[in-house]
Amino acid sequence: INSELHITHTLQKLIEHLTIFGKFDFGESWMVTEDKKRLKRIADYAPTEKGNIFKKESEYLEEFNIGEGLAGLVLNNKKIIVLEELSAPTFLRYEAANHAGLKTALGIPIIQDNDVTGVLLFGTDKQRKNILYFERIINEILGFIGSEIKRKILQDELNKWFNTLPDIISVA
């Protein structure tokens, strides 16, 4: 994960690469808000027509309460979850998914120090058996992804402090 990019850009690149690698119709990154009460979409990518239909029809949902939908389920269970039937209430945007022809969704926790700080979501028009290889691979690199994202967040916070420090010193 490139250390020169802000966390938002880093997550966007991560989602793009994983969506293409897994041959998904869409990919999204959802992060826990600072107050720890909601999940907010940080990045998304839709390389296919089906993915773009889903993205366009679900743009309205930028944030939701922790515990809601697939991302909330992944967050609470701290494990990878695959939905083979995209329906309410487990998949909040089921109407958009059904209209786009999506059949399966995959939720992956971003774990940092045993806390889930975000969720990666992917969707496809394929059955689960067609994404098992991706599920196995991502399970192997889950710890690395979490630690790299944590490192990137800390780097961004340090940069903010260093950029603010001269202002604090000059006031003192």
Side-chain angles (χ1 to χ4, degrees), residues 52-84:
N52 279 311
I53 291 169
F54 174 76
K55 182 178 174 179
K56 186 172 192 250
E57 291 188 14
S58 62
E59 285 177 334
Y60 67 91
L61 188 64
E62 290 292 322
E63 282 188 22
F64 56 88
N65 294 325
I66 286 181
E68 293 181 328
L70 176 58
L73 201 59
V74 170
L75 194 80
N76 288 339
N77 289 295
K78 296 183 178 184
K79 65 178 185 177
I80 294 174
I81 295 177
V82 178
L83 288 182
E84 295 183 82

Side-chain angles (χ1 to χ4, degrees), residues 20-109:
I20 290 168
F21 177 75
K23 298 178 181 148
F24 291 105
D25 293 295
F26 82 88
E28 298 173 329
S29 173
W30 295 81
M31 298 299 285
V32 176
T33 57
E34 286 186 37
D35 64 6
K36 309 252 188 262
K37 293 181 180 178
R38 299 183 59 77
L39 280 166
K40 180 176 180 149
R41 183 174 32 221
I42 302 298
D44 58 18
Y45 182 64
T48 67
E49 184 179 341
K50 289 179 181 187
N52 279 311
I53 291 169
F54 174 76
K55 182 178 174 179
K56 186 172 192 250
E57 291 188 14
S58 62
E59 285 177 334
Y60 67 91
L61 188 64
E62 290 292 322
E63 282 188 22
F64 56 88
N65 294 325
I66 286 181
E68 293 181 328
L70 176 58
L73 201 59
V74 170
L75 194 80
N76 288 339
N77 289 295
K78 296 183 178 184
K79 65 178 185 177
I80 294 174
I81 295 177
V82 178
L83 288 182
E84 295 183 82
E85 183 180 322
L86 305 183
S87 59
T90 311
F91 199 78
L92 297 176
R93 298 166 292 162
Y94 69 95
E95 289 176 351
N98 288 334
H99 184 252
L102 302 177
K103 296 177 182 158
T104 307
L106 172 67
I108 301 164

Side-chain angles (χ1 to χ4, degrees), residues 9-24:
H9 299 295
T10 301
L11 287 170
Q12 182 65 41
K13 291 294 180 193
L14 176 67
I15 283 296
E16 288 175 12
H17 290 298
L18 290 176
T19 303
I20 290 168
F21 177 75
K23 298 178 181 148
F24 291 105

Side-chain angles (χ1 to χ4, degrees), residues 158-172:
L158 281 173
N159 284 337
K160 284 179 194 172
W161 274 101
F162 283 123
N163 291 335
T164 311
L165 197 57
D167 295 336
I168 294 171
I169 292 171
S170 67
V171 171

